Structures are given as structure tokens and as C-alpha cells.
Amino acid sequence: MDNNGSQKKDFDVITVGAGMAGLYMLHKLRAQGFSAIGLEAGDDVGGTWYWNRYPGARCDIESLDYSYSFDPELEKVWQWSERYATQPEILRYLQFVADRYDLRRDIRFSSKVERADWDDSTSKWRITTANGDSLTCQYYVMATGCLSLPKEPDVKGVERFTGQTYFTNRWPHEGVDFTDMRVAVIGTGSSGIQSIPLIAEQASQLTVFQRTANYAAPANNGPVRPEHREKLNADREAYREEGRWSRAGVPLPRSEEPYSSVNLEERQRRLEAGFAQGDLLTINSSFSDLVTNAAANESVQDFFRDKVRAKVTDPKTAEDLCAKDFPLFTKRLCLETNYFKTFNLPHTKLVNLRRTPIASITETGIDTTDESMEFDAIVFATGFDAMTGAIVAVDIRGRDGISLKDVWEEGPKTYLGLNVHGFPNFFTITGPGSPSVLSNMVVSIEQHVNWLTAAFEHLRKEGFQTIEATSAAQDGWITHVNDFANLTLYPVANSWYMGANVPGKPRVFLPYIGGVDTYRQACNEVVEQDYLGFEQCGTSGSRCNEGVIRFVKPDVQMVLDAIAGLEQPPLDTLSPIQAREQIEANTANRAPGPEVGEVLDGSLPGPAGSLNYRLYRPATAGPHPIVVYYHGGGWVLGHASSDDPFCRYLCTQANALVISVNYRHAPETRFPAAVEDAFEALNWIGNNAESLGGAPNKLSVAGWSAGGNLATVMCQLALKQGGPNINGQLLVCPVTDCDFSTASYNENAEGYILTRNLMEWFWNQYCKAEDRKDPRASPLRAESLVDLPPAMVVTAELDPLRDEGNAYAAALQNAGVIVEHIQAPGQIHTSLTAVDMVTSANDVRQAMSDAVRAFAK
Ligand SMILES: Cc1cc2nc3c(=O)[nH]c(=O)nc-3n(C[C@H](O)[C@H](O)[C@H](O)COP(=O)(O)OP(=O)(O)OC[C@H]3O[C@@H](n4cnc5c(N)ncnc54)[C@H](O)[C@@H]3O)c2cc1C
């Protein structure tokens, strides 16, 4: 039955938009036996490729990749004529798809959706269009596109111009002939860069108004590359699957090598090869760190700028065309064909709006602060209100009438970029919080459509009517999306990825940058865990596996993955000597930590022989406050220099003399030998503070893990024994008790480097069972903590020692001690001290060094 013009008013699914996403959604829904209709504002299918008909409009992902993969037969019957197909060809393709699967009969065109209201009593959405249609559905899907709502030009006087005005994203279907016209183009983003060379071919005079210069690589367009076609044809499914599990949705090898790890010659070779390849992704994939390492990025920026200088004859114009305001790749790289060379033509001129802004558009042209220019036509290539614009343009009201626009006032909130808490059965295809615009979008569209239609199928089978993200799951996902973005240079740029192109739009990173592969994995795991974080409800009850899909910080996860990749035996299955060797080998290539003024190795007299120490002195003038530092390693592993990067960090950031001391290790010497050594070292350093270059009476202690245990035990002993005077204690993931029954031991028993087995192994090496309750081993069990020095206690969420650390912080507080307590979410036992490796802990580390500074005041 044809839904297009029929009187049918209630559907299982209503999809808004008949672009690539809407078309595939309809096809898939129909195949699964759902009643469905598409509502489309335009008068035909195609979406992006229906609206953007400007000269030079093309895709920038190669057409072989930028095409549907859901039907192998479709892939065989459609052949692309060019590497990067033109807009007319892509539109023909989408029309071909609509015909082939007879989709138009279920699409109502010229139907702009204006309003959508959730009705809790019927568990349905009511959808209202500008034509006055009112339809209901169980599931409401916005396939309205990430780049579909044109951004209003924010230039004064647009309405005054009496010549012809064009917008690249709403181009006349009959085309435009610019022959003999004086044309202005405002905007040099992707659409500007594509259209300017072709407009210049016709116009008698072309003036380009540029606010921000963009990085562009040559498209090197031509026929489809034979080797590309051969690769696809050799094993179509394997090729597509590789794309689905790639970073950006295109099968491409990805380098694991940082930019600085290869020599100059090799760098240049890779950059030239990537540039000559003529695509968006190869250069970025040639090194592992171009979007995370500012110095590497800067160096490749220079490479791009030199290419512009080589192409553009006039040096001033060339300089103006060089992108300088944002890191490379943090806005979508443009592909150009004759763009830069167009500025060598005598009738083409560039106006740098940073130097001479537009004062106003006038009846006859454009006035800048510098001159008045007359034009016959103005072309606005000013882009889109990206990712959220088309969604919030509809007045969407969820549970209790809450407005999506209000909920998103400070930035979009979604779970997986698919659903929003408070809006049951409402979905976005390639919504904010999903890879979307950072990917080959067909791959992301197919993944979302497949995920959603499988979810509808699941709900139908299980007898549920509604599905909705929980608030906790959504918050967790938003945190994860931001954590990933913050590892990169993307948030630095004023890009449309950040919403920065639209005045008043919140500055929030909109897509998910973790990669198509990582994202797909997360979505799959949500399903495997019975739709983790989704509440599923039906007439006979509801079900919810509450939880957060990604709670480990992304950079911590990378470290965990790297360690897992080593396939080493667990430390607790080794002898202590083997365990020490394994740890030494693993730390050999870690990030070194910051430069300090001086590093000195020395020894001091201990109770049973001399103890080595390593002293870190700031480059600033002394005397400095002293921090006596006790290293981690479960009283079994490590040494004075084993926490070297963290000691360097504390030294430079807290401007303190950090002295990391050795203590005797178990099992060779067991408790209380380590305590005795640690205390002797503390006394010796206190007594020799001045000769070491330290400020007298400015002595604090710090330690991580077992070292945290020793640090606070020192505070307890010093108090009992009348000295030395300790100003403060920094305890990072400290061992404070011998109780293995805490929730954190159970939750993280197998998890994150420090396992329950390993911790038990450490205790077994260190301390006889009958001694463990001694407060010198379990300082939480001390009779009193009153009068201990001020403390900063830092605990990590995913650490078996979390709860005992938290308990110790609480006990100190109860005893009247000044305590700053940080509980670091998503961090593990080893990540807080991993300077320059785990940047998500930078804030916590900064707080630690601030605390150490404060101890000395
Ligand atoms: C010039 C240009 C080039 C691009 N090139 C590439 C590329 O090479 N590779 C790539 O991966 N991506 C590219 N993109 C991104 C492109 O948008 C996606 O690849 C893809 O076409 C999006 O399909 P879609 O169906 O999700 O959205 P769209 O194609 O944007 O379709 C959304 C549809 O929803 C309709 N709609 C919106 N709101 C309403 C409403 N309220 N009521 C009714 N209908 C509504 C719109 O009219 C539109 O037809 C490009 C985008 C542009 C603008």
C-alpha cells in the first residue's frame, strides 16, 4: 500500500529526511515489516545532493567508498565515472537507489516537519508538518542530516542588495550563468573552495571575501583509480568490513608511529606521498599523533602553507591564503582543484576580512572598511548550522512536554548520538556524539540504521513499546565524548565541529572523535549487554541494565590496550626478581617527564646500610621546600628513580626539591624494614635540609601506592616520636589497610593492572598475616589520626585501593585534619602518576602539585 498520498496516519516509524540516511532507513524498515513513512521538506530525494547544486560540488571521500554497501547487487549495477563524483552524479545515484527499491511511494515530499510531541498515554509521537499534516508513530527518527540547515549569513545589509543573491546550499535547479558578471563569493570553506575556480571561469570579475583561510590538499580527481576498484572487486565484503572497522570509515592503513619518531627525510616522503595521493585521510593516517601533538601538527601546517606559497604568484595573496588560525585537521581538510591557482588570474581578487572586514552589503555591492565594490551577483558559501541545527529547528517535546531545544541549550546531550534521555523512542541518525561528520558518512549512516532497526526488531520480539536512554548512561557517554575530544587539538579551533561558526551556539565539540571502529564496538557492546543504559518498557513491565558503556578514560584505555598487547604474564605469577625485570623493561620507553634544574643521585645512612636517593632540584633559585618521596611498587618493586617522571613533575610544578628515597624491599627484608628505612631517611633529610639546598622547616612527604602507605606512616611516626616536623602529606592511591573485602577490591579485582591477586601477592611478600593490622602496615587502623599534617588524598575510581584511600581521607577529616580529597573518575591505580602519557589526569596532577606548594606556605 502506498503511504505517500494515502490517508494513513499512524505508523510504526516516521523518518524525517530523504537523504542517504532516510532512504536506507525506509528500505530497511520495509524489509523488516515495519510500517513506515518518510517526510521530506524538498520535492525529491537526495538530501545534501538535492540541495547543494553549486558549480564544482563533489564528494570529498572517494565515490567507491562514499556509496552504500548494504546490497552487493547495487554495488555491481552502479559504476562511478570519477574518483570524486560530481553532485549531479551523486544525486542520480540516490535517485537510482530510490527507484530500485521503490522508495518514493513511502515518502511525502514538500512536507516540512515543524513539531513533534511525545504522548505518554499512548506511547506514541505526534508529528506535525508545515502543511498541517498530523501523523502518529511509535518511533520517530530524525534523518535530517548534519549539514542541512543553512547558516544565516551574519553580514549587515544582505537584504539591501538588488543584484542576484545565491546560496551554495540552496542553489537554483536550473543552474546559474555568471558570464560577464562581476561576482562576489563570501566564504572559503569547502563549498567556496569547490565553486570559486568554476565561477572564475565565467565571471568577468571575481572577488573572494575570506574570513578564515583553510588548509586544502589537491583533489587530483580523475577516473576511479584502477587499483582502488581492483581492491574492492577482489573481495567486496572484506573491503567494506575493513571500512566499517576503520577509524574514519575508509579502509586505510594507520600508522602507529608518532611524527617525531621518524627522521626528517621520511617525514617529508610521507607528507609528499600523502599530498600527491589527493585525499583527506592519507596524510593524517601517516603518523599516529598529528591531531594530538601540537608541535607535530604545526610542522605539517608549514608543509601545507609552503604548498600554497608555491602555487600563488602574488606573495601577499599567498600569505593571506595560508591557513594559520587553527591546527591542521581540526576543521575538515578541503580538497581543491585549481583553487589556489585561480588567484593568479588577473580578474580574481582576494579580500582578507581579518584586515578589512565587511562594513555592509549595499544596494549595489559590498563596502569593506577599506573600499566600496560593485557586483552583479553575490554568492554566499557560508556553511551550515551543523549537526544540531536541523534537529532543534523542529519543536520536539519529550516526556512532560520538555523541549529538546531547552535540554540542549548548553550543548547537545545524547546517548551514543542516537537517543536523548526524556525523549523515548526518538532517534537521530548520525546525531551529535557519534562519529558522523568525522567519518565517511555512508558508513556511519548504515551503522546507525542497522543498529536502530535491529533495536526495533528486538523490542517487538520482547514485547516492549518504548526505549529510552537513562540519565546516567547519557551523562557517561557525554563525558566520554568530551574526554576523547580533549585529548586532541580539535577543541582549540573555532570550527563548526565546535558550533563556533554560529553566533550564540554553545561551544561544545559535537561529533565523537574516538573513531568509527571504537564507536561501533561501543554500540555493539550496548546491545550485547541487553541495551545497557536503556530503559525498555512494555505493558507487562520494564527492564533496564543500568550502566555506563565507557567509563575508563580513553587515554587510560590506550595504555591498558598497549599493555595487553605485550601479552606478558601477570606479575603475581612471577618471582619477585622476574617481576622487577618485567617492570623495568616496561618503563624503559615511557615518557620522560619534564626537565628539571638538576638531578643528583646520592646515598644516606640507613639503619641497615646506606640507602640510595635521587634528588630533583628545580631550575629556580633555592632554597626550596623539600618533599621526601616514597616510590610505589607494593614494597617489592621499584627504586628511588622508578617514579622519575612524576618526581620531575612535582619538582617543576610545585617548585620543590623532591628527594625520592630507597627503602629495603620484601621479600628479602619484610615489614617493618621498609618503615624503618623510610623513617631514617626522613630524619636524615630533615637534619640535612640546608646542605641539600632545602628550606629549613619546609618538609613534606609524598608517595604513591605502597609509597603513599609509607608517607602517611611517616607522619604518624613523626608525631609519636616528636619529629621531624612535617608540613603536609600527598598520598596518591595509598595502601592504608589490609582488608581485601571492600567494594573496590571486588569491582576491580581483575581489571586494571593492579589486580586483587597482585595486591595479595604484594602483601604476602611484605608482611606476615599477624603483623598486618599494625598501623605501621595499615595506617587506617591507627588509634588516632588527630594532629597529623594536612593531607591531599587522591584515589582512582578503578583501583582496588580506592575504598581504603577514601576511608583514610574520611578518617583524617573526622580527626580534624585538613584534607583535600580527590576521587578521580575513570582513572586506574597507575594512571595518575603517568605524566605525559595520561593527559586526562593533568588536572588531578595539577591539584597535587598545588597542594604540595600549599604545604610549604
Ligand atoms: C557539499 C557537501 C559535500 C559533502 N561531501 C561529503 C563526502 O564527500 N563524504 C561524506 O561522508 N559526507 C559528505 N557530506 C556530508 C553529507 O551531508 C552526508 O554524507 C550525507 O549526504 C548525509 O545524508 P543524510 O541523509 O544524513 O542527510 P542529508 O543529506 O542532509 O538529508 C537530510 C534531509 O532532511 C531534510 N530535512 C531536514 N529537516 C527537515 C524537516 N524539519 N522536515 C522535513 N525534512 C527535513 C532535508 O531537506 C534533507 O533533504 C557533504 C556535505 C555537503 C554539504
Side-chain angles (χ1 to χ4, degrees):
M1 161 87 167
D2 183 336
N3 285 323
N4 189 338
S6 82
Q7 293 308 303
K8 187 171 160 60
K9 293 210 174 298
D10 183 51
F11 300 89
D12 293 331
V13 188
I14 291 182
T15 300
V16 187
M20 249 173 194
L23 291 178
Y24 179 44
M25 188 77 196
L26 266 188
H27 171 65
K28 192 81 181 154
L29 287 167
R30 204 189 265 170
Q32 289 182 212
F34 290 99
S35 66
I37 191 168
L39 301 175
E40 165 58 54
D43 61 13
D44 197 11
V45 299
T48 289
W49 306 103
Y50 169 89
W51 296 107
N52 292 268
R53 296 169 188 245
Y54 59 85
R58 287 175 191 277
C59 55
D60 58 11
I61 296 281
E62 291 181 68
S63 294
L64 282 198
D65 297 308
Y66 186 60
S67 40
Y68 290 121
S69 71
F70 65 84
D71 179 357
E73 289 308 309
L74 169 65
E75 292 193 64
K76 282 184 203 145
V77 293
W78 185 269
Q79 295 297 324
W80 294 104
S81 68
E82 284 181 280
R83 199 177 164 200
Y84 298 105
T86 58
Q87 171 272 330
E89 187 172 0
I90 304 172
L91 181 59
R92 278 201 304 279
Y93 169 72
L94 293 175
Q95 289 167 337
F96 176 79
V97 168
D99 290 342
R100 182 180 165 90
Y101 304 102
D102 190 18
L103 297 174
R104 283 193 183 88
R105 72 178 156 95
D106 286 330
I107 302 172
R108 291 186 196 171
F109 294 104
S110 306
S111 289
K112 186 171 183 216
V113 172
E114 287 193 330
R115 211 186 146 95
D117 296 89
W118 172 251
D119 182 346
D120 231 0
S121 63
T122 57
S123 292
K124 291 202 173 206
W125 282 94
R126 176 164 296 282
I127 311 294
T128 314
T129 70
N131 326 329
D133 274 351
S134 179
L135 310 170
T136 54
C137 59
Q138 184 180 358
Y139 302 114
Y140 160 39
V141 180
M142 288 288 270
T144 41
C146 294
L147 300 170
S148 61
L149 187 74
K151 189 195 129 185
E152 294 294 322
D154 50 352
V155 190
K156 225 169 83 188
V158 178
E159 67 298 337
R160 286 168 62 195
F161 185 60
T162 53
Q164 298 168 25
T165 303
Y166 299 102
F167 295 87
T168 50
N169 43 39
R170 290 292 180 267
W171 204 256
H173 287 204
E174 63 281 10
V176 181
D177 183 358
F178 289 111
T179 305
D180 293 335
M181 281 198 203
R182 296 163 301 168
V183 182
V185 177
I186 301 180
T188 52
S190 192
S191 304
I193 285 177
Q194 286 186 334
S195 58
I196 283 164
L198 295 176
I199 296 174
E201 282 179 14
Q202 292 182 338
S204 60
Q205 226 184 71
L206 174 66
T207 308
V208 176
F209 293 82
Q210 171 193 278
R211 185 145 54 190
T212 309
N214 269 301
Y215 300 99
N220 293 346
N221 197 19
V224 170
R225 291 180 294 129
E227 70 274 18
H228 194 179
R229 204 190 291 277
E230 273 161 32
K231 202 172 164 209
L232 176 67
N233 288 346
D235 187 341
R236 209 167 268 275
E237 190 43 34
Y239 181 88
R240 293 300 189 197
E241 198 56 10
E242 206 183 323
R244 291 178 194 125
W245 288 98
S246 66
R247 184 155 210 91
V250 176
L252 252 190
R254 193 183 339 163
S255 173
E256 298 295 328
E257 291 174 315
Y259 188 70
S260 62
S261 71
V262 300
N263 65 31
L264 270 176
E265 208 172 80
E266 175 60 11
R267 278 182 206 169
Q268 198 62 20
R269 190 197 66 72
R270 288 189 201 180
L271 293 179
E272 290 290 358
F275 205 72
Q277 176 73 12
D279 70 24
L280 295 182
L281 303 168
T282 303
I283 289 191
N284 199 350
S285 305
S286 303
F287 303 94
S288 64
D289 60 345
L290 295 188
V291 295
T292 52
N293 180 333
N297 190 287
E298 178 80 39
S299 172
V300 186
Q301 289 174 35
D302 286 337
F303 173 87
F304 272 80
R305 287 189 280 262
D306 286 344
K307 293 289 182 192
V308 177
R309 290 170 188 132
K311 282 183 185 159
V312 179
T313 323
D314 173 46
K316 186 158 164 269
T317 308
E319 253 355 87
D320 283 346
L321 287 167
C322 285
K324 289 174 187 144
D325 302 332
F326 57 97
L328 178 66
F329 303 123
T330 58
K331 291 186 179 186
R332 197 177 176 98
L333 183 66
C334 299
L335 290 187
E336 58 99 13
T337 303
N338 293 330
Y339 173 67
F340 293 112
K341 287 190 175 157
T342 297
F343 293 91
N344 296 337
L345 300 173
H347 69 297
T348 306
K349 169 177 163 178
L350 182 71
V351 176
N352 182 340
L353 296 178
R354 295 285 161 96
R355 245 194 330 268
T356 53
I358 293 179
S360 178
I361 294 184
T362 64
E363 283 73 14
T364 53
I366 298 178
D367 286 355
T368 68
T369 49
D370 192 43
E371 60 183 315
S372 282
M373 285 167 266
E374 299 210 329
F375 297 110
D376 303 306
I378 302 179
V379 175
F380 289 93
T382 40
F384 301 90
D385 182 348
M387 297 204 71
T388 54
I391 300 172
V392 295
V394 177
D395 187 2
I396 302 171
R397 304 277 167 165
R399 220 182 269 291
D400 304 322
I402 49 164
S403 136
L404 186 71
K405 200 171 181 177
D406 290 347
V407 173
W408 284 11
E409 198 180 357
E410 286 166 11
K413 299 182 172 68
T414 73
Y415 183 33
L416 301 168
L418 280 165
N419 173 244
V420 183
H421 174 66
F423 296 79
N425 291 5
F426 162 67
F427 302 97
T428 51
I429 307 272
T430 62
S434 74
S436 57
V437 288
L438 295 177
S439 66
N440 171 2
M441 288 201 64
V442 197
V443 170
S444 292
I445 286 168
E446 288 191 334
Q447 187 250 340
H448 266 187
V449 170
N450 292 343
W451 193 95
L452 276 181
T453 47
F456 298 164
E457 186 81 57
H458 156 86
L459 294 164
R460 179 163 64 182
K461 201 167 119 245
E462 299 286 315
F464 292 122
Q465 270 82 52
T466 67
I467 183 166
E468 178 189 347
T470 67
S471 169
Q474 179 171 288
D475 288 350
W477 184 252
I478 294 166
T479 302
H480 179 62
V481 170
N482 289 328
D483 285 342
F484 244 124
N486 290 336
L487 294 180
T488 72
L489 302 169
Y490 279 82
V492 175
N494 284 324
S495 64
W496 56 258
Y497 296 143
M498 294 294 297
N501 63 328
V502 178
K505 192 165 171 173
R507 207 170 184 289
V508 174
F509 191 68
L510 297 167
Y512 174 71
I513 202 177
V516 163
D517 47 356
T518 313
Y519 174 78
R520 180 181 295 268
Q521 182 65 27
C523 291
N524 289 357
E525 285 176 30
V526 164
V527 175
E528 283 157 18
Q529 295 174 50
D530 191 17
Y531 289 86
L532 179 75
F534 280 106
E535 175 142 37
Q536 310 168 63
C537 297
T539 42
S540 53
S542 65
R543 201 162 79 199
C544 178
N545 182 16
E546 177 64 290
V548 168
I549 185 64
R550 291 284 178 261
F551 45 84
V552 182
K553 295 287 174 195
D555 50 354
V556 173
Q557 189 59 53
M558 287 173 206
V559 172
L560 288 170
D561 292 344
I563 290 175
L566 298 175
E567 294 185 0
Q568 292 175 326
L571 289 176
D572 48 275
T573 62
L574 303 175
S575 72
I577 290 172
Q578 289 168 328
R580 286 172 195 150
E581 284 168 1
Q582 186 163 302
I583 287 289
E584 284 301 309
N586 290 355
T587 52
N589 294 323
R590 70 185 162 182
E595 278 290 314
V596 297
E598 181 186 32
V599 176
L600 266 182
D601 288 327
S603 64
L604 54 87
S610 66
L611 298 170
N612 290 340
Y613 66 81
R614 176 166 280 191
L615 179 152
Y616 302 85
R617 194 188 309 283
T620 55
H624 299 98
I626 298 180
V627 180
V628 180
Y629 182 85
Y630 299 101
H631 69 81
W635 308 283
V636 177
L637 317 171
H639 44 75
S641 57
S642 60
D643 294 347
D644 196 74
F646 186 56
C647 289
R648 287 170 177 274
Y649 178 87
L650 283 182
C651 169
T652 53
Q653 293 300 112
N655 195 33
L657 197 68
V658 176
I659 306 177
S660 173
V661 294
N662 267 358
Y663 47 88
R664 277 170 293 163
H665 278 168
E668 291 84 352
T669 35
R670 306 183 78 195
F671 173 83
V675 176
E676 289 164 3
D677 287 0
F679 197 55
E680 193 79 9
L682 178 72
N683 275 304
W684 183 87
I685 291 168
N687 292 335
N688 293 278
E690 282 185 60
S691 59
L692 290 165
N697 301 322
K698 291 200 171 176
L699 186 67
S700 59
V701 291
W704 164 60
S705 189
N709 167 282
L710 290 173
T712 198
V713 168
M714 292 307 100
C715 295
Q716 296 188 6
L717 282 184
L719 191 65
K720 253 193 200 149
Q721 303 197 9
N725 185 33
I726 300 175
N727 301 136
Q729 46 178 329
L730 168 65
L731 313 178
V732 187
C733 305
V735 186
T736 70
D737 198 19
C738 55
D739 176 9
F740 302 121
S741 71
T742 58
S744 58
Y745 257 108
N746 288 324
E747 288 162 21
N748 306 302
E750 315 240 305
Y752 311 100
I753 301 179
L754 182 65
T755 60
R756 171 203 286 274
N757 283 349
L758 180 56
M759 202 57 218
E760 285 182 353
W761 185 80
F762 282 140
W763 270 108
N764 289 339
Q765 309 287 336
Y766 180 49
C767 195
K768 286 192 265 177
E770 59 269 30
D771 289 340
R772 290 187 191 170
K773 292 183 179 161
D774 185 321
R776 291 173 303 159
S778 294
L780 182 61
R781 295 179 188 250
E783 249 170 47
S784 165
L785 301 179
V786 172
D787 289 337
L788 285 184
M792 168 170 262
V793 183
V794 186
T795 53
E797 183 189 16
L798 308 171
D799 179 3
L801 306 185
R802 177 194 69 207
D803 290 351
E804 65 197 67
N806 290 348
Y808 194 64
L812 284 169
Q813 239 150 11
N814 288 340
V817 176
I818 299 169
V819 180
E820 199 181 336
H821 180 197
I822 296 183
Q823 304 184 54
Q827 299 290 340
I828 63 172
H829 187 70
T830 51
S831 58
L832 297 175
T833 51
V835 177
D836 292 341
M837 287 174 71
V838 175
T839 54
S840 60
N842 281 353
D843 288 351
V844 178
R845 245 171 253 134
Q846 184 62 50
M848 294 191 220
S849 61
D850 290 348
V852 169
R853 257 179 204 270
F855 293 154
K857 287 204 172 128

